Amino acid sequence: MDAPAEKKSARKKGCLIFIVMAVALLGYSVWQIREPGRRAHATYDTIRIGMTTAEVEQLLTGRHYCVYQVQRPGGEWEIVNREDFAKLVAAPDSKAYTNLRLMLTFLGMSPGRVSFIVDLDRAGRVQKLNPPYNWD
């Protein structure tokens, strides 16, 4: 009589372990999916009006993209590399480009991404922050 009761007890214990592991795996998955959003919001909350481009770059952690953009006189945004962007900021008297911005994109293990745009003045200082948004 003891053998069937022990078998049932072992089966219940096995099922309980399986359920706990499944819930833990689900929780870990949700945690990983939301990770880019957490980092983006933490960075967004840290950026202040008047910070320089270099100060904003120092706040970026983990997997991310920092896209440097300048607006042409015709109104289109052009992506430039970091060195060219630094040259434009160093020469604020240049009238070739009127607006500057950074598009910060945070990536995680999931395919989702969270981005926000930081508008800069000609001296490369933060003027405005656009709220983070999810995409993908």
Side-chain angles (χ1 to χ4, degrees):
M1 288 245 175
D2 291 328
E6 287 177 16
K7 211 174 194 181
K8 263 189 181 177
S9 176
R11 186 176 293 152
K12 283 182 182 180
K13 185 176 178 182
C15 288
L16 181 61
I17 290 172
F18 176 77
I19 290 171
V20 169
M21 294 299 288
V23 169
L25 181 63
L26 179 65
Y28 178 75
S29 298
V30 170
W31 179 260
Q32 288 298 321
I33 289 169
R34 295 179 53 105
E35 187 241 344
R38 286 192 307 274
R39 285 191 297 114
H41 285 281
T43 302
Y44 179 84
D45 292 341
T46 308
I47 296 174
R48 300 287 177 247
I49 303 299
M51 290 177 82
T52 64
T53 305
E55 291 171 330
V56 171
E57 289 173 334
Q58 289 176 353
L59 299 174
L60 304 177
T61 60
R63 293 178 52 200
H64 66 274
Y65 289 123
C66 182
V67 178
Y68 303 89
Q69 298 178 330
V70 294
Q71 190 173 29
R72 291 176 167 237
E76 304 122 18
W77 287 95
E78 177 184 344
I79 296 174
V80 296
N81 63 32
R82 186 174 188 225
E83 291 77 24
D84 291 343
F85 190 83
K87 288 176 188 173
L88 287 170
V89 169
D93 56 337
S94 172
K95 302 293 184 213
Y97 298 98
T98 55
N99 295 319
L100 306 171
R101 72 181 183 187
L102 302 175
M103 185 174 88
L104 307 177
T105 302
F106 296 84
L107 309 159
M109 290 182 68
S110 69
R113 299 174 194 146
V114 178
S115 298
F116 64 92
I117 293 176
V118 179
D119 292 323
L120 307 168
D121 63 9
R122 288 291 300 139
R125 295 199 173 272
V126 175
Q127 293 299 305
K128 181 180 137 192
L129 291 167
N130 297 299
Y133 60 92
N134 298 345
W135 55 292
D136 265 357

